[in-house]
Amino acid sequence: MRPRAASRPARGGSLWGLAADDPAPGRRLGAELPWLWHLHRNGLEGVGFLRRALGRAPSDRGHLQARLLTGLALVVDTASPLDQEHGLARQALELATEHGDEELRGPCLSLASVGRFYTDFEAAWELTTQAVRSARAAGDALFVHAQVGMQGMIRHLQDRHDEACSLLESAVDGLQGRHPGIASTALAFLSATSLVRGRPADARRSAEDALELAEPLHDYLRVGIARGALANALVASGDPAGAHDAVRPVRRLVGDADTDVFVPGAALTLGRLCLADGDLDGALRWFERDVRQTDHGAPTYLAAQMHVGYGEALRLAGRIEAARDELDRATDAARRLGMPRTLADALEQQGHLTGDISLRHEALAIRLDHGLRMYWPDSLESLAPAMAAPATVRVLAAGDRAHEVMGLPRRPGGRRGYDATLAALRDELGAGFPAAWAEGAALSPDEAVAYARRARGARGRPASGWGSLTPTELTVARLAAEGLNNPQIAARLFMSRSTVKTHLAHLYAKLGVANRTGLAAFPAAAGRAVAP
């Protein structure tokens, strides 16, 4: 399927044709129009029309019915994909397969993958793999590159960013001359990947390129996604005014009560922007919009992210029990979907909520293991107060330096508490403060993270025994005692197998055992020490 020009008379002709005794001409004309509805704000009109066209021949299993089903899946992709897109695409795929239409199978598989994208990354990945095979068999380079882009988006959400970057860059190269709209979306995800890797300047360039491709298309979905990516890059770079300017048209579009449009991530971006401004009421309103979003009853990846933002806003507003509930939902959804970054964000917020420093350390471990450098400065500064005074100063100085090196300024709202902490430390350390600060400021971000992880025991953790284990080591010990192997532990905790092996080596040494058999010899002690 390719974009086709369609006019109001053409739509009128289709409606007239569907009302005729013989609806076939109207159905054929309607099959030419889905890209019109897909690209513009009148998608719900298209959904209604295409459902009517399908309803005029409900038992038809011909090629025209397959095209109409594919067209309907395409329109709901931008108008209202949740609960609809995957099922429609699968119906279309069944008919396309019956007719041996490999050219139509590629788009059907592509749309089916988008339908699973919101709630099941691995199922979506498998569908993209099938779609690439069908598109290659049909000689359809557009859908090959489109599916490579989808795979890059999936890897981004799984925080496999080296893979994501390679796939997205390949997709952009292949799509720019074929489908600038999909290329724009791939660039927006490339921007997000650059940002979480701590490269805000690269993120801004990719977002600006995405917007440059999307604007001439007048495709509200692509423009909205690109503007959201640009706003995220700008606010992270310390330009909230520029972020507001970038996202203003999106705010008008999705905030219009008379317009039912779907722009993935728009409410999340707007809520985060309000949080950065300290506008808790605004943040709560935006997060509440999509925080219960589901697809066939399962929370979407967007809802998982919204739970974290909503939980943070509720915590800052003093609504502690509600915040606890939202953050519990966030961790459950992040674990189910396989979203390490969202899990780390939720754990850090739970650490702030409960005062449990081990949760903040666990968040840092996840961020370290997945290269989520954007969040390292915040992790450092959240961990510092739990350390002895000289270590606290070093870690705060290292965090301050990391903000500067990465070009990621501290949120304005956090400045007052940060300054008060520094003032108290100056009083406590006196003449020793400048030296400790200089030592921390000399650390690179990588060295600072390593130092913070070493310094966590500065307040008296024993050198051996169950009490010497870090929270992550305790969790690894529990899972090993339950019989999980290294790959299973790695999958459960979102870490590499080599990291699991390292944790096991450390805890064996601290416990004075040689292997899992030795660990299993102390089940009662292990159970008490590592129970979740």
Side-chain angles (χ1 to χ4, degrees), residues 75-140:
V75 176
V76 301
D77 175 53
T78 52
S80 184
L82 303 179
D83 299 316
Q84 298 189 71
E85 184 168 12
H86 179 72
L88 290 166
R90 296 299 300 193
Q91 293 177 55
L93 176 63
E94 183 179 339
L95 292 183
T97 302
E98 281 184 17
H99 290 277
D101 187 341
E102 205 65 40
E103 185 176 1
L104 193 59
R105 275 176 51 82
C108 292
L109 286 162
S110 173
L111 291 163
S113 71
V114 176
R116 296 307 298 271
F117 174 65
Y118 292 96
T119 58
D120 190 335
F121 300 142
E122 291 305 327
W125 180 273
E126 176 57 31
L127 286 165
T128 62
T129 303
Q130 295 176 38
V132 167
R133 286 198 295 266
S134 287
R136 282 181 175 151
D140 192 336

Side-chain angles (χ1 to χ4, degrees), residues 488-505:
Q488 291 169 330
I489 295 172
R492 181 77 64 88
L493 299 181
F494 302 128
M495 59 179 61
S496 66
R497 296 179 186 184
S498 62
T499 300
V500 174
K501 187 176 180 180
T502 298
H503 283 310
L504 285 169

